[in-house]
Amino acid sequence: MKRRDFLKSGAALAALSGCAGGIRGHGHVVVVGGGYGGATAAKYLRLWSGGKLQVSLVERELRPVSCPLSNLVIGGVRTLADITLDDRALKTAWGVRLIRDEALGIDAERRTLRLAKSGALAYDRLLLSPGVDFLWERLPGLSDGAAREKIPHAWKAGPQTLLLRKQLESMRDGGVFAIAIPMAPYRCPPGPYERACLVAAYLKRHKPRSKLVILDANEEITSKKTLFSNVWKNFYPGIIEYRPNSEVRDVDAAHLTAILDFEHFRADVLNLIPPQRAGAIAAETGLKLINKRWVDIDWQTLESSIPGIHVLGDAVFSAPAMPKSGHMANQHAKMAAAALLNLFAGEAPPPSPLVNNVCYSFVDETSAIHVASVHRYDPATRLMQPVKGAGGFSVSPSESEGQTALAWAKNIWADMGLLIRLDRGDARDPGLGA
Amino acid sequence: MAPDSGIAALAGMPPRLFLQKWTLFKEGGPASIMHQIVKGYTDEEAEKIAAYFSARSR
């Protein structure tokens, strides 16, 4: 046994509230979105109901791609195939009904979900895990598809990830690669800074006369500030330039130019991460939003303002100090699964949910850093609150944590009920009870 | 549990062994994250986690 034995336990700790024995749960839960939140929820609803609860998972992509680790693809360390997920085991091992379709609307009165191809789908409870959508209306210069190919976001992994990788590869030595970061909150707070590290690592090795400029709308680095600052100073001197308070208001796509308040910034590669809100199926169906962007939920049940519709993951208005991360979506999913099983059994939801978060960020091809936290339900504020004295950061980057970061990914994919393939030519089925 | 991930399985681990390891982390033992995570949980919660994993088959 190694000290890292316990890493995985984090992902299962939310199990505490849901593992009360007995067979219960009759009904049909429809889960929308097969990412870190939705896949986990579908699996755990089946696991904790002993297979009694009927669960359908609506996912529009045949093979969803993981956002965590996708910066390694941009840096040329991994391939897209390494992070392409296979959810067929949710059906074969866990008995989840997989529906390849897109959710277009909700009839909350009749409790039906409207799908693009297969019509209406009835549910007893609906669980939305749609992730984020981009606020394109804030960026008129990116209103058409051609402009979005010239200026990729690569903030939903897949073709956009490969596009940005290709742009980096074909950039001339001596060029400028710019990453524009929106005002928080956005998906994956440390993600843009990790991307900066991996792009800089590539530039240092292959195009050392080039520069990487970070145009951050925020007044300072929003996550792992000291660690990233030190990495940029020590690993990438003269390559990375960080500019706070630099919000991009629009772009001139024809000239690869970012338009800021007092400046037009021209780059050879412009990677603009747009401002975000809850995915459309959650943001445009009448659920109460906060700041017109994120879904307001009850933290004991993850239920929205509309009875029977629960929301989790990046789409919700985050609790204090709670990041929009894949790990946190996995934890939300277990909170929701436990609550739903209690509700189907006519019981109160678990009184004090307890979850944790960890985000690993690579700082070069092999070394990583982390931030970790624990969050407990607080009846006084009715919010999840960070537990004081718990959590923390890496002391410094290490290859050991780089290995742990890869192990984190493999284990959370297994926890989501997916087939695992990172580091292997073959795919393995974690199977029932794994 | 993912195969060959470098992290051994907790499923089926005797509760006493689990709690020994947990205590080492609480005392600051070497770890990537667990020495920081365990501080957010009570002893009673650690016992529940130990019981949950010991009852899972590998």
Side-chain angles (χ1 to χ4, degrees), chain A residues 63-361:
Chain A
R63 295 283 174 268
V65 180
S66 171
C67 275
L69 301 192
S70 66
N71 283 330
L72 291 178
V73 177
I74 292 165
V77 185
R78 293 274 168 183
T79 66
L80 201 70
D82 289 332
I83 60 165
T84 299
L85 306 177
D86 187 338
D87 59 15
R88 283 173 293 182
L90 280 172
K91 180 182 176 192
T92 56
W94 297 102
V96 174
R97 181 183 171 205
L98 295 177
I99 301 173
R100 300 291 174 204
D101 209 333
E102 182 163 8
L104 295 181
I106 303 166
D107 183 337
E109 294 283 310
R110 296 203 173 104
R111 298 211 174 197
T112 56
L113 180 71
R114 186 162 51 86
L115 301 174
K117 289 184 290 191
S118 17
L121 182 63
Y123 63 82
D124 294 308
R125 289 192 179 268
L126 182 63
L127 201 47
L128 303 177
S129 185
V132 298
D133 274 337
F134 299 123
L135 293 169
W136 292 119
E137 62 273 22
R138 301 259 188 100
L139 298 158
L142 287 173
S143 56
D144 67 280
R148 293 176 202 170
E149 300 270 306
K150 290 197 76 170
I151 301 177
H153 53 79
W155 215 242
K156 292 188 182 185
Q160 280 268 321
T161 311
L162 290 180
L163 185 60
L164 189 58
R165 170 65 191 162
K166 287 197 183 102
Q167 290 188 359
L168 174 60
E169 281 183 298
S170 45
M171 190 178 90
R172 67 187 167 93
D173 189 9
V176 173
F177 188 111
I179 299 175
I181 306 173
M183 203 72 87
Y186 55 86
R187 160 181 280 180
C188 189
Y193 312 113
E194 176 193 60
R195 177 172 293 177
C197 293
L198 287 162
V199 169
Y202 169 88
L203 295 177
K204 186 178 175 179
R205 193 180 294 271
H206 299 287
K207 291 164 187 168
R209 292 166 49 234
S210 309
K211 282 198 75 164
L212 185 141
V213 177
I214 302 167
L215 303 170
D216 196 338
N218 299 283
E219 62 183 14
E220 59 177 15
I221 298 169
T222 60
S223 178
K224 307 175 194 169
K225 183 184 171 191
T226 306
L227 285 162
F228 279 120
S229 299
N230 287 339
V231 164
W232 297 346
K233 195 168 56 190
N234 299 328
F235 289 33
Y236 309 114
I239 297 180
I240 294 184
E241 181 190 333
Y242 179 72
R243 299 190 187 182
N245 300 310
S246 299
E247 184 165 17
V248 174
R249 304 290 184 183
D250 199 1
V251 298
D252 173 357
H255 299 98
L256 287 180
T257 297
I259 300 169
L260 292 83
D261 281 334
F262 305 108
E263 184 189 6
H264 285 204
F265 186 89
R266 181 164 184 160
D268 294 277
V269 177
L270 180 52
N271 169 212
L272 188 148
I273 303 163
Q276 297 150 33
R277 64 156 163 78
I281 191 65
E284 296 172 358
T285 44
L287 311 186
K288 188 187 167 204
L289 303 180
I290 295 179
N291 299 334
K292 300 182 184 171
R293 288 167 70 177
W294 309 106
V295 182
D296 187 15
I297 57 164
D298 176 293
W299 281 101
Q300 277 185 309
T301 57
L302 287 88
E303 197 162 20
S304 70
S305 60
I306 298 183
I309 303 179
H310 303 247
V311 185
L312 60 89
D314 293 347
V316 307
F317 184 78
S318 302
M322 180 181 274
K324 297 187 182 299
S325 73
H327 189 106
M328 186 50 73
N330 168 283
Q331 300 279 286
H332 286 182
K334 290 166 187 172
M335 290 168 68
L340 257 57
L341 287 168
N342 281 21
L343 295 174
F344 275 114
E347 297 165 11
S352 75
L354 175 61
V355 299
N356 62 64
N357 185 67
V358 58
C359 293
Y360 286 98
S361 302

Side-chain angles (χ1 to χ4, degrees), chain A residues 360 370 376 391 401 424, chain B residues 4 7 21 32 36 45 49:
Chain A
Y360 286 98
H370 81 261
R376 184 188 293 277
E401 286 213 292
R424 304 189 66 87
Chain B
D4 307 327
I7 298 176
K21 290 170 178 288
S32 170
Q36 297 167 344
E45 286 159 353
I49 297 165

